[in-house]
Amino acid sequence: MIAEAYRDMYGRDLITDLKENLSHHFKEVMVGLMYPPASYDAHELWHALKGVDTEEKCLIDILASRSNMEIFQMKEAYLMQYNNDLQQDIDSETSGHFRDTLMNLAQGTRLEGYADPCTATQDAMILWEACQQKTGEHKNMLQMILCNKSYQQLWMVFQEFQNISGQDIVDAINDCYDGYFQELLVAIVLCVRDKPSYFAYRLYNAIHDFGFHNKTVIRILIARSEIDLMNIRQRYKERYGKSLFHDIKHFASGHYESALLAICAGDAEDY
């Protein structure tokens, strides 16, 4: 609405003016805030797929966590903004079982809200066999279950998996697989269990393990700012002892810091 008013009043495009007059990470934040959620996801996916190097972790963060409706809207935005088909670009820019799982997620065909306790044990057995056998066929079955069953169904499946194997599903995946395929499977499981906790974990790693990975911090704060950022902040503080606000303030600076903190907000004790 602000962008429309800006165009009406001054005859100029606000995003273009922001790009021309700002710089570095501060520009990335302010321009990113101008996109509607689906358009922002499309923007991030395009750059992750079409940049100099494919940014697999960006693909994982977005496609492992979005609902069917969010995926449908981002595919529409991707086509409109870049005149490309998202699934075709995933197919051409990634490979192996990682690609197959991303392609499955990008279909947006998860059975949301549907749960069948009668098949939970059967699904858990399939997952257990997939972790034991590790053949191409078993990998396909594993990703089919994780990408297409509802969150409610998967909650029961993970519990049955624990009962059958005596092992948590995340530990089993980590033991049996590696690379970006393993990271994607774990991300799906963590999002099923608690999406805000997953993003708190990703933010903490981006801030502490990679010397402040700016792209990841910016992407998560903007993408979740109108969805569940308050919950992410809460999980972050519960899990890591310090607030997200505190850690951003410690690592960022200048207008960039001010912009991130304005999105993040904070409790009185965080200042």
Side-chain angles (χ1 to χ4, degrees):
M1 291 171 66
I2 293 171
E4 291 175 2
Y6 189 91
R7 183 185 294 276
D8 291 342
M9 293 172 68
Y10 305 111
R12 299 177 63 86
D13 180 71
L14 179 53
I15 291 180
T16 301
D17 281 359
L18 289 171
K19 288 179 178 178
E20 291 178 354
N21 290 281
L22 304 178
S23 60
H24 305 303
H25 299 308
F26 180 55
K27 177 175 73 174
E28 292 177 42
V29 175
M30 303 315 292
V31 171
L33 288 168
M34 295 305 303
Y35 289 98
S39 296
Y40 184 69
D41 279 348
H43 171 269
E44 292 297 290
L45 289 170
W46 169 262
H47 288 282
L49 289 164
K50 297 299 185 179
V52 176
D53 296 310
T54 302
E55 295 180 38
E56 287 86 356
K57 290 183 183 294
C58 174
L59 303 178
I60 292 170
D61 281 348
I62 293 175
L63 290 170
S65 64
R66 301 314 194 247
S67 67
N68 289 347
M69 180 57 70
E70 289 169 332
I71 289 171
F72 172 78
Q73 291 172 344
M74 83 172 65
K75 288 195 293 185
E76 291 287 300
Y78 193 94
L79 181 62
M80 183 178 298
Q81 289 165 215
Y82 305 108
N83 199 32
N84 277 45
D85 181 82
L86 174 59
Q87 288 171 275
Q88 288 180 5
D89 283 351
I90 292 171
D91 188 41
S92 64
E93 301 294 336
T94 60
S95 61
H97 290 286
F98 177 64
R99 175 194 60 204
D100 296 341
T101 309
L102 289 175
M103 292 285 284
N104 198 322
L105 290 167
Q107 291 178 18
T109 54
R110 187 181 295 282
L111 294 172
E112 295 180 335
Y114 175 81
D116 180 8
C118 298
T119 62
T121 302
Q122 178 184 343
D123 290 338
M125 285 298 299
I126 293 172
L127 293 183
W128 175 240
E129 290 173 11
C131 289
Q132 298 304 301
Q133 302 297 327
K134 295 183 282 189
T135 65
E137 180 182 353
H138 284 90
K139 288 180 181 178
N140 289 337
M141 292 299 295
L142 186 151
Q143 60 102 352
M144 285 291 289
I145 290 175
L146 292 182
C147 295
N148 293 288
K149 302 288 184 176
S150 71
Y151 278 17
Q152 294 90 334
Q153 178 76 9
L154 288 173
W155 263 96
M156 292 186 289
V157 171
F158 297 158
Q159 184 58 55
E160 287 300 315
F161 184 95
Q162 177 90 37
N163 295 338
I164 292 167
S165 66
Q167 189 177 27
D168 184 80
I169 182 68
V170 170
D171 294 333
I173 291 170
N174 287 335
D175 288 345
C176 297
Y177 299 106
D178 56 18
Y180 290 119
F181 178 59
Q182 170 257 327
E183 289 188 35
L184 177 55
L185 296 180
V186 169
I188 296 169
V189 173
L190 295 180
C191 285
V192 168
R193 285 178 166 167
D194 186 27
K195 210 169 285 185
S197 289
Y198 170 73
F199 284 115
Y201 155 76
R202 289 286 292 126
L203 282 167
Y204 186 85
N205 285 351
I207 292 171
H208 293 274
D209 292 354
F210 303 109
F212 208 87
H213 194 270
N214 294 284
K215 285 187 177 181
T216 301
V217 174
I218 292 169
R219 181 180 66 250
I220 294 175
L221 287 183
I222 291 177
R224 309 311 295 184
S225 62
E226 296 184 61
I227 301 173
D228 55 2
L229 186 54
M230 292 290 285
N231 292 332
I232 293 169
R233 280 176 38 197
Q234 182 181 350
R235 300 292 193 280
Y236 191 99
K237 193 166 187 177
E238 290 170 353
R239 185 166 183 173
Y240 304 111
K242 290 186 178 179
S243 69
L244 178 58
F245 189 94
H246 172 276
D247 282 353
I248 290 172
K249 194 170 181 64
H250 183 73
F251 285 95
S253 61
H255 293 303
Y256 175 46
E257 173 197 340
S258 299
L260 292 181
L261 294 180
I263 300 169
C264 176
D267 300 319
E269 65 267 22
D270 296 333
Y271 285 84

